[in-house]
Amino acid sequence: MSRVPAGSSGRLSDARRFRVGTGRIALALVTWHGDGRVTVLAGAPVDASGQTPGPERHALRRSVPVVAPEACVRRSLVDEEHGNARTAWQRMAGPRSPRPRQIDVLPEAAEPARRHLGLPVEDEAPPWTDERRLLGREPR
């Protein structure tokens, strides 16, 4: 069983970085917070030169340590269609001086798409790690 690093504050210095791919940019940044939250910032691989388009979808499979029987996942998505005020502005025909009604739309268009789901956590701890056994109680 993996445990959240002791004393983690959620600061960037407590983060673990993962680089994925060759010649393409993909990043997963994982931070652990003192209150038990784990935050993962992940980016899809792209061609940094801009010569080739990126993939339509990119699956990120990362094992993140969670010390709980279940986890609540909040996913925020930013891409060309979601969380992108520039796309909304372009679809307004890129006005040099947007009208007040057009300006009102832009902050909402900049909001990421959000999804919430619950996941059961698979306990991989061997039986001998059960701290109740140390106190003479019944193990799990």
Side-chain angles (χ1 to χ4, degrees):
M1 171 173 64
S2 298
R3 295 214 177 249
V4 174
S8 291
S9 66
R11 294 188 316 251
L12 189 58
S13 60
D14 297 328
R16 305 271 164 76
R17 293 173 186 254
F18 304 95
R19 284 196 69 89
V20 184
T22 55
R24 293 174 169 241
I25 297 171
L27 174 71
L29 180 66
V30 182
T31 61
W32 289 269
H33 304 267
D35 62 2
R37 290 177 297 129
V38 178
T39 303
V40 178
L41 173 66
V46 295
D47 180 357
S49 70
Q51 298 294 318
T52 57
E56 280 199 29
R57 293 190 61 85
H58 173 68
L60 176 70
R61 304 216 190 287
R62 175 80 47 214
S63 177
V64 177
V66 177
V67 184
E70 55 187 41
C72 176
V73 176
R74 183 178 68 187
R75 181 179 182 209
S76 298
L77 174 67
V78 176
D79 61 13
E80 286 294 320
E81 298 296 320
H82 307 94
N84 193 331
R86 184 173 190 276
T87 298
W89 174 78
Q90 287 174 323
R91 291 185 179 156
M92 294 175 190
R96 287 185 188 178
S97 299
R99 294 185 182 93
R101 292 170 98 188
Q102 291 172 315
I103 291 173
D104 290 343
V105 170
L106 296 177
E108 184 179 321
E111 287 290 319
R114 291 193 175 89
R115 193 171 111 192
H116 296 82
L117 57 140
L119 298 174
V121 176
E122 183 179 329
D123 188 1
E124 298 177 355
W128 57 265
T129 63
D130 187 350
E131 60 274 354
R132 287 179 279 193
R133 292 180 60 153
L134 296 173
L135 303 174
R137 297 185 185 148
E138 288 293 315
R140 292 182 218 165

